[in-house]
């Protein structure tokens, strides 16, 4: 009997070890999803289909990877803010064009959409270090343009894009005027236990209680909670309370961490917002929230700098 139980235990242990080995080996394929199931990597539409004023922009990251992006203008002579948009995980920038079209109409701004390496028409394979380089290349490009107001560059990141955007804002306080985060996670380490519950005993971040013995092997931890606490610029947090992928608690924790040091933080909840549709179900309230934030912290920045009490952290 003892030997039989021992065999069972060894067998279970072997399966667990094998499973962990597979997770370690193929973790990038679990974290990054450049191609949606059943679809191709290519763009299903382009801004031309939606009659947008745009240009194809090809960038080269600091490690030599060729990247594709779209620079979309509200109008040929737009002098408003330019939003550097970092997309969610799955799919490519073409899948965000419907949202971007509505963003143009409501915010009357320029929008720069970057294809991370391995996504869309960009070369390479995604990784945290690589995507961070890609995002920096996009910001550097915008900062050097002569047809926009480079003092009004706003980083907007949704989900994975929020993790990317937080890093870029932290690293570039002189180039990024403000940061907007929507339905973003505290870290991939914390998300491992959300998406694959058995992993919470081996991998975890700030909100996990397990031994976290496998944290060291995670190549894309994206620890947004630590990063956001170092961002100096104004931050708007947009949280969909019905988010079915990232628990809303993550956004609450990000806000709390940032607001403890940064008095220019605003947190807004949308009761019916899910992971991918908060911007849609939020309707006019969503866009008014973003517009007000831009008006206060970007368009009227000089006036607010002389009245710091007007920018204290707030929640709604």
């Amino acid at each position: 009997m003892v030997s039989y139980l021992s065999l069972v235990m060894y067998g279970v242990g072997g399966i667990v070890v094998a499973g962990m080995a597979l997770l370690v080996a193929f973790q990038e394929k679990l974290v990054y999803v450049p191609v949606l199931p059943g679809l191709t990597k290519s763009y299903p539409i382009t801004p031309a289909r939606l009659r947008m004023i745009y240009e194809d922009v090809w960038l080269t990251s600091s490690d030599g990877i060729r990247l594709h992006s779209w620079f979309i203008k509200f109008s040929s002579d737009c002098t408003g803010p330019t939003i550097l948009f970092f997309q969610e995980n799955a799919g490519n920038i073409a899948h965000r064009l419907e949202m971007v079209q509505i963003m143009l109409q409501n915010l009357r701004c320029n929008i720069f959409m970057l294809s991370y390496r391995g996504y869309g028409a960009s070369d390479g394979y995604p990784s945290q270090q690589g995507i961070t380089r890609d995002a920096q290349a996009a910001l550097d490009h915008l900062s050097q343009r002569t047809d926009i107001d480079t003092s009004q560059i706003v980083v907007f990141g949704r989900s994975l894009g929020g993790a990317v955007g937080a890093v870029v804002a932290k690293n570039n306080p002189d180039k990024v005027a403000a940061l907007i985060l929507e339905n973003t996670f505290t870290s991939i380490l914390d998300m491992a236990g959300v998406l694959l519950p058995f992993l919470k005993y081996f991998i975890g971040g700030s909100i996990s209680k397990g031994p976290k013995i496998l944290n060291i092997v995670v190549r894309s931890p994206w620890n947004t909670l630590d990063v956001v606490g170092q961002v100096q610029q104004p931050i708007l947090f947009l949280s969909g309370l019905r988010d079915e992928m990232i628990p809303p608690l993550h956004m609450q924790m990000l806000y709390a961490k940032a607001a403890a040091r940064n008095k220019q933080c605003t947190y807004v909840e949308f009761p019916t917002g899910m992971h991918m549709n908060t911007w849609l179900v939020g309707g006019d309230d969503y866009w008014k929230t973003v517009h007000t934030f831009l008006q206060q912290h970007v368009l009227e920045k000089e006036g607010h700098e002389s009245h710091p009490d007007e920018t204290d952290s707030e929640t709604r």
Side-chain angles (χ1 to χ4, degrees):
M1 181 68 175
V2 174
S3 60
Y4 174 74
L5 289 176
S6 297
L7 288 173
V8 171
M9 292 297 293
Y10 281 127
V12 171
I15 292 173
V16 171
V17 170
M20 294 296 182
L22 288 172
L23 287 170
V24 170
F26 297 102
Q27 59 183 273
E28 272 78 16
K29 293 187 178 298
L30 296 172
V31 174
Y32 307 108
V33 187
V35 182
L36 291 169
L39 300 178
T40 64
K41 185 182 176 184
S42 61
Y43 302 128
I45 61 173
T46 70
R49 176 85 65 85
L50 301 178
R51 298 182 179 180
M52 295 177 174
I53 303 171
Y54 83 105
E55 64 181 89
D56 285 296
V57 177
W58 291 93
L59 307 171
T60 301
S61 66
S62 59
D63 58 347
I65 300 298
R66 191 166 183 257
L67 308 167
H68 178 250
S69 54
W70 286 324
F71 179 59
I72 303 172
K73 278 198 165 187
F74 171 71
S75 65
S76 58
D77 58 349
C78 177
T79 58
T82 295
I83 291 179
L84 174 52
F85 180 73
F86 295 125
Q87 67 160 70
E88 308 91 323
N89 183 8
N92 58 53
I93 54 176
H95 299 119
R96 278 78 197 179
L97 283 176
E98 178 186 2
M99 182 278 299
V100 164
Q101 186 176 42
I102 296 175
M103 181 184 288
L104 285 171
Q105 297 168 355
N106 283 275
L107 303 183
R108 305 173 70 86
C109 61
N110 306 310
I111 302 173
F112 192 92
M113 304 179 73
L114 169 72
S115 276
Y116 310 133
R117 60 184 61 200
Y119 284 70
S122 295
D123 295 339
Y125 300 93
S127 67
Q128 178 170 340
Q129 184 181 51
I131 290 176
T132 299
R133 292 175 183 268
D134 302 344
Q136 187 64 50
L139 177 60
D140 290 344
H141 168 80
L142 282 178
S143 299
Q144 295 166 10
R145 292 188 71 109
T146 58
D147 58 343
I148 66 171
D149 184 343
T150 56
S151 70
Q152 295 186 18
I153 296 175
V154 178
V155 169
F156 190 144
R158 180 178 293 135
S159 190
L160 170 65
V164 179
V167 172
V168 171
K170 176 186 78 72
N171 292 343
N172 298 272
D174 57 331
K175 294 180 179 179
V176 175
L179 173 65
I180 301 173
L181 300 180
E182 180 180 329
N183 295 341
T184 299
F185 46 74
T186 54
S187 71
I188 287 293
L189 299 174
D190 288 327
M191 284 302 298
V194 173
L195 301 176
L196 299 170
F198 76 93
L199 280 181
K200 66 183 179 182
Y201 301 106
F202 307 98
I203 297 174
S206 56
I207 63 176
S208 302
K209 298 180 180 180
K212 308 176 185 179
I213 58 176
L214 290 181
N215 278 12
I216 193 172
V217 302
V218 177
R219 293 187 288 268
S220 292
W222 288 112
N223 199 333
T224 315
L225 189 64
D226 285 349
V227 173
V228 79
Q230 303 173 59
V231 174
Q232 303 173 23
Q233 302 94 315
I235 311 175
L236 172 62
F237 297 83
L238 304 170
S239 178
L241 296 186
R242 291 189 180 178
D243 192 326
E244 73 284 10
M245 293 190 65
I246 299 176
L249 173 63
H250 285 227
M251 284 292 288
Q252 295 167 15
M253 293 185 67
L254 291 174
Y255 168 73
K257 184 65 175 286
R261 296 184 178 181
N262 185 343
K263 299 305 180 183
Q264 301 180 92
C265 295
T266 303
Y267 175 85
V268 183
E269 296 178 338
F270 297 90
T272 60
M274 300 180 71
H275 189 65
M276 297 291 286
N277 74 353
T278 298
W279 64 272
L280 183 61
V281 301
D284 289 342
D285 287 343
Y286 177 95
W287 295 113
K288 287 178 181 177
T289 295
V290 178
H291 182 269
T292 299
F293 174 78
L294 295 178
Q295 189 74 29
Q296 293 177 345
H297 297 289
V298 180
L299 299 177
E300 298 178 359
K301 186 176 180 180
E302 292 184 2
H304 275 258
E305 283 179 347
S306 63
H307 300 284
D309 289 341
E310 293 180 12
T311 59
D312 286 347
S313 301
E314 59 177 309
T315 60
R316 285 197 277 138

